[in-house]
Amino acid sequence: RFQPPSAAHPLGTDELGRDVLARLLFGARVSLAVGFAAAFATAVLGTGIGLAAGYFGGRLDAVLMRITDGVIALPLLPLLIVLAAVDPEKLGLPRAFAEAETASLYRVIVIVSLLGWTTVARLVRAAALSLRERPFVLAARAQGAGPGRIMRVHVLPNLASPIIVATTLSAGHVILLESVLSFLGLGIQPPTPSWGNLLANAQELVWSAPALAVYPGLLIFVTVVAFNFVGDGLQDALDPRETRG
């Protein structure tokens, strides 16, 4: 217990004698899986809602955007805490699934996906409103192409840039949300490690073994900053108006 860094344990051991580096690597796998899966799900959901609202307009646009505004108006963190505390068995899910080690992982992904699609939806809607009046869309419509084909072939490929950028940026945000929920004991449950519950386990040892809190906190910080840099770089690389030397 609490061994200092050595050749066998490069970052030492924790209060139970477990290798800290191994725990951090397993926690990285869980936290990044949650980030990527939830970001992809929010991108798919937000793209579908934003594309339908922007292309068809009218009453459908008004209804979908009022729903989006309602979700944005909700207090995100308290709502996430409430939803994460709901017993899955009371929702009709099988007991075997509710008691599985991966149940908390899937629950966090679903909760974050249901509440995090609004940014992508608004970006896609704004771009779709502009694209539907472009000459190539009007030409496809004049040739008899249906709305489904126009959105799939002509509109959606031109939305790739804002979707990719928003998805990349939301991945870092999702990792932060997962860390907060796990820190509060409502996210990924032990023995499955994540950076959030590693921080939660280290809060009682912050004075006797501060490194146990520094390592996961530093990894969360570096990962979120890296995702932000990647998102900014993709935005510059995919922007057709960007001046290149």
Side-chain angles (χ1 to χ4, degrees):
R1 299 173 66 247
F2 298 118
Q3 291 185 13
S6 62
H9 307 288
L11 297 180
T13 59
D14 63 5
E15 72 277 7
L16 297 179
R18 298 171 295 191
D19 186 85
V20 174
L21 179 60
R23 297 274 292 169
L24 290 172
L25 292 177
F26 275 96
R29 184 175 66 177
V30 173
S31 295
L32 291 176
V34 171
F36 285 125
F40 178 77
T42 56
V44 172
L45 184 59
T47 299
I49 294 175
L51 184 59
Y55 181 80
F56 292 107
R59 293 183 178 179
L60 180 62
D61 180 25
V63 171
L64 292 178
M65 286 302 101
R66 296 300 75 75
I67 295 174
T68 303
D69 293 338
V71 175
I72 293 175
L74 295 173
L76 181 59
L77 186 56
L79 186 59
L80 286 174
I81 293 174
V82 171
L83 292 177
V86 174
D87 186 1
E89 291 187 38
K90 294 182 179 179
L91 299 177
L93 297 176
R95 178 183 293 271
F97 173 79
E99 296 178 352
E101 291 186 3
T102 57
S104 58
L105 175 67
Y106 297 135
R107 181 171 59 182
V108 171
I109 293 174
V110 171
I111 292 173
V112 174
S113 302
L114 291 177
L115 299 176
W117 53 267
T118 54
T119 300
V120 178
R122 294 180 73 88
L123 288 174
V124 170
R125 172 187 175 269
L129 285 173
S130 174
L131 287 171
R132 71 176 185 177
E133 304 298 335
R134 297 289 181 88
F136 60 89
V137 173
L138 298 178
R141 192 179 302 156
Q143 291 178 351
R149 177 175 176 80
I150 293 176
M151 287 189 291
R152 186 179 68 254
V153 177
H154 300 285
V155 178
L156 189 58
N158 289 281
L159 298 174
S161 175
I163 292 173
I164 292 174
V165 173
T167 303
T168 305
L169 294 175
S170 66
H173 184 59
V174 170
I175 291 175
L176 278 179
L177 291 177
E178 180 275 323
S179 301
V180 171
L181 291 176
S182 298
F183 182 80
L184 296 174
L186 299 172
I188 309 301
Q189 299 297 318
T192 303
S194 73
W195 290 337
N197 61 31
L198 289 178
L199 272 176
N201 294 335
Q203 63 179 334
E204 299 179 356
L205 307 169
V206 67
W207 298 113
S208 59
L212 295 180
V214 171
Y215 293 139
L218 185 62
L219 285 175
I220 293 171
F221 172 78
V222 171
T223 303
V224 173
V225 171
F227 273 116
N228 289 336
F229 275 121
V230 170
D232 291 339
L234 287 174
Q235 185 175 13
D236 294 338
L238 298 174
D239 189 358
R241 296 168 297 181
E242 183 72 17
T243 303
R244 293 178 174 83

